[in-house]
Amino acid sequence: MAREQVHPDPAGDAAGEHAPRGIVVGVDGSDHSHCALVWAAREAERRRRPLHIVTAYSVPVFAASGLDGGYATVDDSVIREGAEAILKQALDKVAGYNIDVDASVENGDASGVLLEMTETAELLVFGTRGRGGFVGRLLGSVSSALPAHAKCPTVTVPLICGDRLGETTDDKHVLAERVKSGHQPVENVVVVGVDGSEQARVAVLEAAAQAERLSAPLRVVCAVPQYSGSLAWVPAPMDREALFADIRIQLDAGVAWLKSHFPRLEVETQLVDGSPVDILVEASRHVELVVVGTRGRGGFAGMLLGSTSDGILHHAKGPVMVVPDREDPRLADRPSFGPMLGS
């Protein structure tokens, strides 16, 4: 894979490979990627970690139109110069931040480039759409590839929240939605969705760490959708009331466990009746960050990268962090704090 180091990464690999180990952000010069870039720079400053800016391109191959058959390739020098100009613009944009920054032009498939970088990166950040070459593909035909397969947490930053980042846009759809929804004050709160799965508990730990970085409370949300299909016959409201009471006990036990690892963190719980996707999307309008796991029991986080990926990642109104499933020694003592959701 070809790479051009614009600035050497002081945290890079000692062998000279310069594998990014801080915050990685994908850019393509679009307003969407500018929002992601600003969010990533602020996060790098909060974490005191280096920022690696990357753009990628693939040289197109065209079938020859002549009778000789064969293929014709395009000289990549012009494409590469355009990619380098995008990086220069991105570097200028984050010049005022107190962070170490490096940047690279990658020759390869956009999603493949970023997925490889998640092997060493601490966090991957990208926009929801772009110009079609780099970020534009991330939530298109490979909409779930990055969050579902990344080895580190990913954050998707939608253009609609650019105003809270000090970014402007002339995107007609975004401007129309802002007029329709009006001014949306943003709480300094991190929201994490839980469903009782181990993956959700991993997401809760990451969300708690993020809340501490933001000096923000953590809001643990469990959404209970209405019965449908094979469960539509279940008596209500008695059984549902009992279900909510049981979940509340388990949520309280979970908070006690979390506080044992984050004693200074302010934690609140919210048990809500309704569609997990709708609730999460609505919450994203009003909070700094929404956090979910990659998989779960089919409720909140469990559906995220399945049938409802469009509903959350494409329609969220604020940054969304997806935390991959991974081992964490802090999970071992959770059972000692009381009953667990789904157990």
Side-chain angles (χ1 to χ4, degrees):
M1 181 179 295
R3 171 176 293 178
E4 176 177 333
Q5 289 295 136
V6 179
H7 288 175
D9 181 1
D13 184 82
E17 296 181 0
H18 298 292
R21 300 184 185 278
I23 313 297
V24 173
V25 58
V27 300
D28 69 350
S30 67
D31 289 347
H32 292 265
S33 71
H34 287 166
C35 285
L37 175 63
V38 171
W39 194 95
R42 292 183 180 185
E43 186 64 15
E45 201 167 53
R46 276 191 292 266
R47 299 191 185 199
R48 299 181 181 179
R49 301 292 290 140
L51 177 66
H52 180 80
I53 306 170
V54 58
T55 193
Y57 70 95
S58 296
V59 178
V61 178
F62 301 97
S65 59
L67 296 177
D68 59 337
Y71 295 89
T73 59
V74 176
D75 183 350
D76 74 344
S77 61
V78 175
I79 301 175
R80 190 172 186 83
E81 286 174 5
E84 291 169 350
I86 287 171
L87 285 189
K88 173 68 165 57
Q89 181 186 36
L91 288 166
D92 290 343
K93 194 172 187 66
V94 300
Y97 290 89
N98 185 26
I99 53 177
D100 292 326
V101 184
D102 76 325
S104 63
V105 174
E106 303 287 348
N107 187 350
D109 176 74
S111 58
V113 165
L114 289 185
L115 282 175
E116 182 178 333
M117 289 187 172
T118 66
E119 295 282 352
T120 57
E122 187 174 310
L123 183 71
L124 171 65
V125 184
F126 48 88
T128 50
R129 294 195 304 276
R131 291 180 172 171
F134 186 76
V135 183
R137 292 196 55 220
L138 299 187
L139 291 176
S141 60
V142 290
S143 61
S144 63
L146 287 173
H149 301 293
K151 302 301 183 183
C152 70
T154 63
V155 173
T156 306
V157 185
L159 183 58
I160 187 67
C161 71
D163 53 349
R164 66 169 90 171
L165 297 168
E167 289 297 297
T168 60
T169 182
D170 57 4
D171 186 289
K172 293 184 292 185
H173 298 291
V174 170
L175 295 176
E177 185 168 352
R178 285 178 182 170
V179 170
K180 180 180 178 181
S181 60
H183 176 68
Q184 299 286 338
V186 178
E187 294 181 87
N188 187 33
V189 172
V190 173
V191 166
V192 59
V194 300
D195 65 355
S197 66
E198 194 86 333
Q199 291 81 9
R201 283 188 279 276
V202 171
V204 165
L205 291 169
E206 186 67 36
Q210 188 67 21
E212 283 198 337
R213 294 185 194 103
L214 290 166
S215 299
L218 177 66
R219 183 176 300 154
V220 181
V221 178
C222 182
V224 184
Q226 293 293 327
Y227 293 132
S228 62
S230 62
L231 293 179
W233 58 269
V234 175
M238 184 177 297
D239 287 355
R240 197 162 181 81
E241 290 176 357
L243 173 65
F244 270 63
D246 186 46
I247 292 175
R248 172 60 62 191
I249 293 172
Q250 296 172 70
L251 281 175
D252 290 344
V255 169
W257 163 72
L258 186 63
K259 292 282 286 183
S260 73
H261 295 286
F262 295 87
R264 295 186 299 274
L265 182 64
E266 180 183 343
V267 183
E268 60 184 76
T269 59
Q270 190 175 64
L271 179 57
V272 290
D273 193 340
S275 162
V277 175
D278 291 345
I279 289 162
L280 184 56
V281 169
E282 182 59 29
S284 70
R285 295 180 184 271
H286 310 287
V287 301
E288 287 291 345
L289 183 69
V290 169
V291 183
V292 290
T294 51
R295 295 180 293 114
R297 299 184 182 276
F300 211 133
M303 294 177 66
L304 173 62
L305 295 175
S307 61
T308 61
S309 59
D310 286 345
I312 294 176
L313 290 178
H314 285 285
H315 298 291
K317 310 306 178 186
V320 176
M321 176 185 287
V322 179
V323 182
D325 186 20
R326 57 190 177 187
E327 295 183 2
D328 192 307
R330 292 171 293 183
L331 297 172
D333 62 357
R334 170 60 184 89
S336 65
F337 286 86
M340 298 188 292
L341 286 169
S343 60

